[in-house]
Amino acid sequence: MAKKNILITGGAGFIGSHLAEKLLSLGEDVFVLDDLSTGSLKNISHLKKNSNFHFIKGSVTEKKKLEKLVAKADRVYHLAAAVGVKNIMEKPLESLLNNLLGAEVVFEAAANRRTPVLFTSTSEVYGKNTNIPFSEDSDRIYGSAYNARWGYGMSKGVDEFLALAYFREKKLPVVTVRLFNVIGPRQTGVYGMVVPRFVEQAISGQPITVFGDGSQTRCFGNIEDVVGALVKLIDTPKTYGQIFNLGSDEEISIKNLADKVKTLTHSKSKILFASYNKIYGPGFEDMMKRKPDLTKIKKAIGYKPKKTLEQSLGEIIDDIHAQK
Ligand code: UDP
């Protein structure tokens, strides 16, 4: 089979770089577009020796550059987006423009040649809905426009409408994937992600900082499970015009996560509780529970997460130790 030309926007980020690695291992030609705002050259440095790997520095808001790359591609994974609640609260304009402009250019350019696109959305689109588990047709409930957090989920939510409209009206083969808290080696804690932060804190003997009372829950999906599913989804035509939850449905409270990380790292760190107000400023709202219903993706591609939370944490701990 002839190798395919694959474009990954945001390919120097945590998820994108693992996806690039997987596609290279399958023998594909991989083009990564990344503005290195939250992605980094370090994430892709081990891929550069592969002659099938190509890196292009640029933003998804650079229309001409993006259009040219999409025109050459046989598949497009549109991952580029601002990451991390902390980052989004601090730079709302950049996150909104990246989310809104990038998706439109990718969808429009891909529609011309009906190139398959996989668009990564987020579990943030469910917003304040408290009815877990979330299934793909659950309501999306957002808070005040003055709270920058909701702008992220809402802008991704608009992109989802765009994807569905391009599918219906322009026959764009596009699949939308709502990612739920993906974790694995190379994820950075710099943008607020809880698992790398807790592991770093535990290993360095600093206090492990739980926000709120720690009763809020999350489900943490393993990067390898997630990347395997992304590759299957884009090559399964019945997924086009559809939305899928992706991640793990193993739920854990943040307090229990802190305990688990402490145990697995044999750390003597204290566990500290910090109020949301102190961390994010007044009026911050967290999601108290977040859990996906994975029935739809299981049925579509036989998705079955292989790694437990404990295995994922073990890999992350080894990775962070290796960097010391
Ligand atoms: N969190 C925490 N301590 C940290 C970072 C995050 O307690 O140092 C909490 C955060 O308030 C949230 C959960 O961990 O309830 C997951 O946060 P993250 O930013 O990783 O992802 P989110 O699910 O909020 O997008």
Side-chain angles (χ1 to χ4, degrees):
M1 241 186 347
K3 66 179 173 182
K4 289 192 281 299
N5 177 333
I6 313 232
L7 172 63
I8 308 174
T9 70
F14 157 58
I15 299 175
S17 65
H18 281 275
L19 176 62
E21 195 173 318
K22 168 87 182 171
L23 292 166
L24 288 170
S25 78
L26 296 172
E28 310 292 17
D29 239 332
V30 176
F31 292 76
V32 159
L33 175 72
D34 202 299
D35 65 1
L36 301 178
S37 55
T38 56
S40 77
L41 289 176
K42 206 170 139 221
N43 284 340
I44 50 172
S45 57
H46 63 300
L47 305 177
K48 285 198 167 152
K49 56 183 180 296
N50 189 322
S51 59
N52 289 341
F53 180 76
H54 316 272
F55 173 70
I56 303 101
K57 185 171 185 299
S59 160
V60 289
T61 56
E62 291 174 66
K63 193 166 180 232
K64 287 270 161 319
K65 195 181 258 186
L66 182 54
E67 278 172 349
K68 264 198 200 151
L69 287 166
V70 174
K72 285 199 308 192
D74 300 307
R75 301 274 184 278
V76 180
Y77 291 88
H78 180 45
L79 271 58
V83 289
V85 175
K86 188 164 164 265
N87 191 32
I88 285 142
M89 303 282 291
E90 282 164 11
K91 293 187 200 153
L93 184 60
E94 196 182 304
S95 354
L96 290 171
L97 291 178
N98 266 321
N99 284 355
L100 295 170
L101 301 179
E104 199 216 315
V105 176
V106 167
F107 296 159
E108 181 65 36
N112 291 333
R113 289 176 53 235
R114 307 238 165 110
T115 306
V117 174
L118 183 144
F119 164 62
T120 50
S121 183
T122 165
S123 55
E124 283 270 326
V125 299
Y126 294 106
K128 294 205 276 190
N129 190 337
T130 51
N131 256 330
I132 60 160
F134 301 135
S135 67
E136 288 79 356
D137 56 0
S138 294
D139 287 339
R140 308 185 299 178
I141 305 171
Y142 301 107
S144 157
Y146 290 109
N147 185 339
R149 173 178 202 149
W150 303 121
Y152 185 73
M154 283 198 83
S155 57
K156 284 283 193 176
V158 170
D159 290 345
E160 292 188 353
F161 279 123
L162 264 184
L164 294 177
Y166 268 100
F167 171 76
R168 285 185 197 131
E169 292 173 38
K170 298 213 173 180
K171 309 270 175 299
L172 174 69
V174 55
V175 51
T176 295
V177 183
R178 291 179 181 156
L179 297 174
F180 281 69
N181 296 75
V182 184
I183 57 168
R186 296 207 288 271
Q187 186 175 36
T188 165
V190 172
Y191 306 110
M193 269 67 170
V194 67
V195 167
R197 280 174 63 90
F198 281 5
V199 173
E200 287 275 5
Q201 289 165 341
I203 287 177
S204 60
Q206 301 296 311
I208 301 175
T209 51
V210 172
F211 301 163
D213 66 3
S215 64
Q216 71 271 31
T217 70
R218 294 292 186 273
C219 301
F220 295 96
N222 178 280
I223 185 70
E224 274 176 51
D225 286 333
V226 165
V227 159
L230 296 180
V231 173
K232 268 197 191 162
L233 283 166
I234 205 170
D235 280 321
T236 308
K238 68 180 177 203
T239 68
Y240 301 154
Q242 295 290 322
I243 298 173
F244 293 90
N245 288 336
L246 175 57
S248 155
D249 50 11
E250 188 186 341
E251 198 181 358
I252 185 168
S253 74
I254 298 302
K255 163 76 177 69
N256 287 348
L257 176 72
D259 290 334
K260 209 180 248 298
V261 169
K262 188 174 154 147
T263 309
L264 290 172
T265 50
H266 312 287
S267 170
K268 294 199 167 55
S269 291
K270 288 198 180 71
I271 296 179
L272 287 188
F273 293 83
S275 77
Y276 288 115
N277 280 357
K278 211 172 130 199
I279 305 291
Y280 294 115
F284 180 77
E285 293 171 281
D286 201 2
M287 280 87 168
M288 292 315 289
K289 283 181 175 295
R290 184 187 276 162
K291 180 180 177 175
D293 180 338
L294 297 173
T295 310
K296 187 170 172 183
I297 194 164
K298 283 180 182 166
K299 210 169 148 207
I301 58 164
Y303 177 67
K304 201 167 177 289
K306 290 189 198 74
K307 300 231 166 129
T308 63
L309 175 60
E310 220 144 280
Q311 285 171 314
S312 304
L313 290 174
E315 289 170 5
I316 295 162
I317 292 165
D318 289 348
D319 179 56
I320 293 182
H321 269 306
Q323 289 169 31
K324 299 273 169 208

